[in-house]
Amino acid sequence: MQIPALPTFESERLIELEELQLSHEPDANYDVITRLASSICNAPIALITIIDSEKQYFKSKIGTDICDTDRDISFCSHAILNPREITIVNDARKDPRFMNNPLTKEETPVIFYVGVPLLTKKGNPLGTLCVIDSKPRTLTDSQIASLRDLASQVENLFELRRNNLKLLEIELLLQKKNEQLRKFAGTVSHDMKMPLANMIVTTDILRAKYAPLFDTQGNNYLSYLKQSSFSLSDYIDNLLSYYESEEQSIEKAEAFELQDLLEELIDLLNINEDYIINLPENPFELVTNKSAVNQILLNLITNSLKYNDKETGIINIKCTQDHAYYYIQVSDNGKGIPKDKQESIFDLFSTATEADNKGKKGNGIGLSTVRNLVQSLGGIISVSSEEGKGATFDFTIKKVSS
């Protein structure tokens, strides 16, 4: 028996193997390949072997209960020394490399062996796809070609895993960066609230105490300063709401009446007589995150009020359900949303119109917040609209499993 030498590329091979993070756990994707290899080659044993620094273990196995073997007696350790070739051993008892190998003397001995090295993109062999029999035999050219094809599929699975690991690493990095950004935005926003409040109060004091000393332009400057401070304060509030919406969860569920929630919102908004709001006709109970639903509806109703150009604004709110979801619709007869803006309306900082009824330009955060909240409740949101005829927002909320 010959103990297999270490390949000249051993260190690089082991680095690639470690990067792949292959577990010893069974995997159905690999088991399909060993079953096919066993069937095509009419071999009682088929293995996908992985060779680490000391052991050979089996990522997938058919026809044996053994989980691993020492590398020194492994047939596959010889096979990876010639990574571009198939190792074929018709009778291990007559091959100088395997004479008196303990594996040839087992109760089910390894007599016939064919191993195809499994290569990385760099050409390093990590193990083999092999078939084994306990008696001398040969394979046809067709069987050998099929074994090569199956080995290439194992290599594809390795590469897919490598790419998935890279994507996971990128995803984790993005999550970390996003969390840092969220904390930064929250901290900056909170720190700006007090100076802004001071600016607004100071503007009012200047106007009350010194207005007669200013000319018209000076008083206009004070008005611009106060208006800009309020706009920035509103922007900060919306930004905070956006990041806080990512912390909402469907798990924070409670039972509440939708009509009661809507009536409270209408009272809060202090809507004048120029608007008609039609609520759902029948009582409707929801079991979900009440705070999230409140913020979703507050944003949608507020938008319907701010961007309505009709003499009498009409807002219709409907709700239905099935076994899995609640379906809520908020529609109005307002300005509507241009068709070229409807796909991007939920993107952060995207706005559909230049200004609302009071001439204030939106900051494009509100509907992004709405989408985040809807997604946190396991649902989706969509919009349909025709300019001049209003907009309809439909969103779903996944029911909480009892």
Side-chain angles (χ1 to χ4, degrees), residues 239 242-243 344-350 363-365 368-369 371:
L239 195 61
Y242 175 80
Y243 282 107
S344 62
I345 193 67
F346 297 105
D347 294 342
L348 188 62
F349 305 125
S350 174
N363 48 45
I365 300 176
S368 295
T369 302
R371 181 180 61 182

Side-chain angles (χ1 to χ4, degrees), residues 33-49 56-58 60-66 68-69 73-77 79 86-92 98 101-116 128-139 143 147:
I33 295 173
T34 48
R35 283 199 299 269
L36 285 171
S38 174
S39 177
I40 291 170
C41 298
N42 194 27
I45 298 175
L47 307 168
I48 294 174
T49 69
Q56 166 188 266
Y57 67 90
F58 307 140
S60 177
K61 57 186 180 180
I62 296 293
T64 182
D65 293 327
I66 298 173
D68 58 55
T69 61
I73 62 172
S74 162
F75 280 49
C76 297
S77 294
I86 291 182
T87 296
I88 300 176
V89 181
N90 299 115
D91 189 340
F98 306 110
N101 186 302
L103 296 176
T104 65
K105 302 178 184 299
E106 296 283 343
E107 183 177 345
T108 304
V110 178
I111 303 300
F112 170 74
Y113 171 91
V114 177
V116 184
T128 72
L129 170 63
C130 63
V131 291
I132 295 170
D133 207 333
S134 58
K135 59 187 179 183
R137 49 173 295 197
T138 60
L139 293 182
Q143 288 172 319
L147 206 56

Side-chain angles (χ1 to χ4, degrees), residues 348-394:
L348 188 62
F349 305 125
S350 174
T351 56
T353 58
E354 289 300 318
D356 63 16
N357 296 339
K358 296 181 179 179
K360 292 177 62 178
K361 190 180 187 305
N363 48 45
I365 300 176
L367 288 178
S368 295
T369 302
V370 167
R371 181 180 61 182
N372 276 1
L373 290 166
V374 170
Q375 290 176 346
S376 74
L377 300 182
I380 57 174
I381 186 167
S382 62
V383 62
S384 58
S385 178
E386 186 176 345
E387 281 192 87
K389 295 186 177 180
T392 298
F393 289 87
D394 290 280

Side-chain angles (χ1 to χ4, degrees), residues 12 18 33 42 69 98 116 120 128 141 145 152 165 190-191 195 222 224 228 230-231 253 275 297 305 344 355 371 400:
E12 185 179 354
E18 184 178 356
I33 295 173
N42 194 27
T69 61
F98 306 110
V116 184
T120 66
T128 72
D141 290 343
S152 70
L165 288 171
H190 279 296
D191 289 348
L222 288 177
Y224 297 151
S228 298
F230 272 122
S231 295
Y275 292 92
L297 291 171
L305 297 173
S344 62
R371 181 180 61 182
V400 179

Side-chain angles (χ1 to χ4, degrees), residues 75-87:
F75 280 49
C76 297
S77 294
H78 287 275
I80 67 170
L81 296 177
N82 299 297
R84 300 294 177 183
E85 301 176 11
I86 291 182
T87 296

